Amino acid sequence: MSGRKVTELAQYGKRMSLLLRSLDPLAVAAGADIPDAVTIEGVTLSRSDLLGAATSVAERIAVAERVAILAEPTVRTVLAVVGCLLAGVTVVPVPPDSGAAELTHILTDSGAQAWLGRALEGTDLPVVPVRTHARSWHQYPEPPAETTAFILYTSGTTGPPKGVLLSRGAIAAGLDALADAWSWTSKDILVHGLPLFHVHGLILGLLGPLRVGSPLVHTGKPTPQAYAEAGGTLYFGVPTVWSRIAENPDAARALADARVLVSGSAPLPVPVFERLRELTGHAPIERYGMSETMITLSTRADGERRPGWVGTPVRGVETRLRDETGADVAHDGENIGGLQVRGPMLFDGYLGRADANAASWTDDGWFITGDVAVIDPDGFHRIVGRESVDLIKSGGYRVGAGEVETALLGHAAVAEAAVVGVPDDDLGQRIVAYVVLRADVTETELIDHVAHQLSVHKRPREMRIVDTLPRNAMGKVQKKLLA
């Protein structure tokens, strides 16, 4: 951890109070309950239910250092995560669909000492049960802000997943910055159906409400009907979720009484943005982040929202663009550069990966995101994509895959699009588009459409029609499987 980060966390630790501020045991003891603090699996837990049951979990695992939690959307998962945070035990979330090799790596690399709650088969770790009806009112002191709260495993383009170390102070700083950007208060009701093993669903979607004090309704699966029936004010979704809602006018119109719709984890297609605005009356908030950084950029509840742009730095964050030589890139809304960030919500490095840590930070303390972006003169950011797969160097030009995808999605016949660069003896890289169609159209027509929307050199040289695009659990297209 850098000296700057240590100072930031120390200062933040003095201000953050309890990480899960709404679970203050003094408030519960005084009878100030929240009757619908968390609803999941159709079960509603009050603040006192949640605190009493999670404290009972904490008593059983307080001597542990790290435990694995099968991150299913269940009451047991919520109690397990909260119990660990109360006791100061590090959580290792395990995706329920982990394959054998990935599971072995996560458990071995993290040093998890036990499963807390249900375990996946094929492991030798002991299992500590989570009893949903047990209660305890023991009080634990708040751990230091620099204590590691989570080890989140994130996959790169090569090698096994890396363990991202997220501290309590970083999480608190990140959530408070979002509460500021989104005007998020205890008067909100958050609704989402996202997985609980990523930053979006777990940190923002579970710990956010428990810090802010807003009730959470987890819908299990993020279906249009479930969202429409939830009666929330603040909704989280990935583009796949919002696309399905936009295709269901009745469900979309049911969200008209909401306050804010937030889209993240992948770019929201501009046609979906516009359709949501038409049906719900709300222009969605788009934001940008990573497991390593949490959310660093967002449009604001009280500010401008542009389709295809992820807004400005949240409170406490600084950003900059650099080219391949390390030189500054102009903030003119056109020139593409590698995005670097710094702020109090960034991670403390990769577990046991000195090589990856050295490669991820500049000498002057900026995190190299690996994403490429443009910044306009007003400070608005547009993410072009991953430098490794989304920055295409074709015929001497630098082309962002994202802008080509956006142009393709603007054609009425295109339902989904993914653009990659493939090796080409003449051009260096050839722009190739994979598209899922909703109506018949010729390849030539789509290529010409892009050429008219953008510069001619940005047109795809080849179109490949597919039935589906490979996506991960958060809806991100896995381009390495295409290329």
Side-chain angles (χ1 to χ4, degrees), residues 3-23:
R4 176 189 174 96
K5 184 69 187 300
V6 170
T7 301
E8 288 174 339
L9 282 185
Q11 293 173 344
Y12 204 84
K14 295 176 182 178
R15 303 194 304 269
M16 78 174 197
S17 183
L18 298 173
L19 172 58
L20 307 181
R21 201 171 333 186
S22 74
L23 296 184

Side-chain angles (χ1 to χ4, degrees), residues 8-52:
E8 288 174 339
L9 282 185
Q11 293 173 344
Y12 204 84
K14 295 176 182 178
R15 303 194 304 269
M16 78 174 197
S17 183
L18 298 173
L19 172 58
L20 307 181
R21 201 171 333 186
S22 74
L23 296 184
D24 185 349
L26 296 179
V28 173
D33 208 353
I34 301 174
D36 53 353
V38 173
T39 300
I40 190 168
E41 286 189 295
V43 177
T44 296
L45 300 172
S46 69
R47 173 159 67 174
S48 60
D49 289 334
L50 184 53
L51 181 60

Side-chain angles (χ1 to χ4, degrees), residues 5 13 18 31 60-61 84 99 130 166 221 243 256 325 337 419 424 429 432 473:
K5 184 69 187 300
L18 298 173
R60 292 196 292 279
I61 48 88
C84 286
V130 172
L166 288 179
K221 293 183 178 180
S243 294
T325 69
V419 172
D424 186 276
Q429 285 184 299
V432 176

Side-chain angles (χ1 to χ4, degrees), residues 127-178:
V127 179
V128 179
V130 172
R131 300 184 178 95
T132 60
H133 297 292
R135 298 290 185 270
S136 171
W137 305 108
H138 180 78
Q139 291 189 28
Y140 290 88
E142 181 73 4
E146 62 270 19
T147 302
T148 300
F150 292 92
I151 303 175
L152 297 180
Y153 278 83
T154 181
S155 296
T157 55
T158 60
K162 300 188 291 290
V164 173
L165 302 171
L166 288 179
S167 72
R168 300 173 72 93
I171 291 169
L175 293 176
D176 288 351
L178 292 183

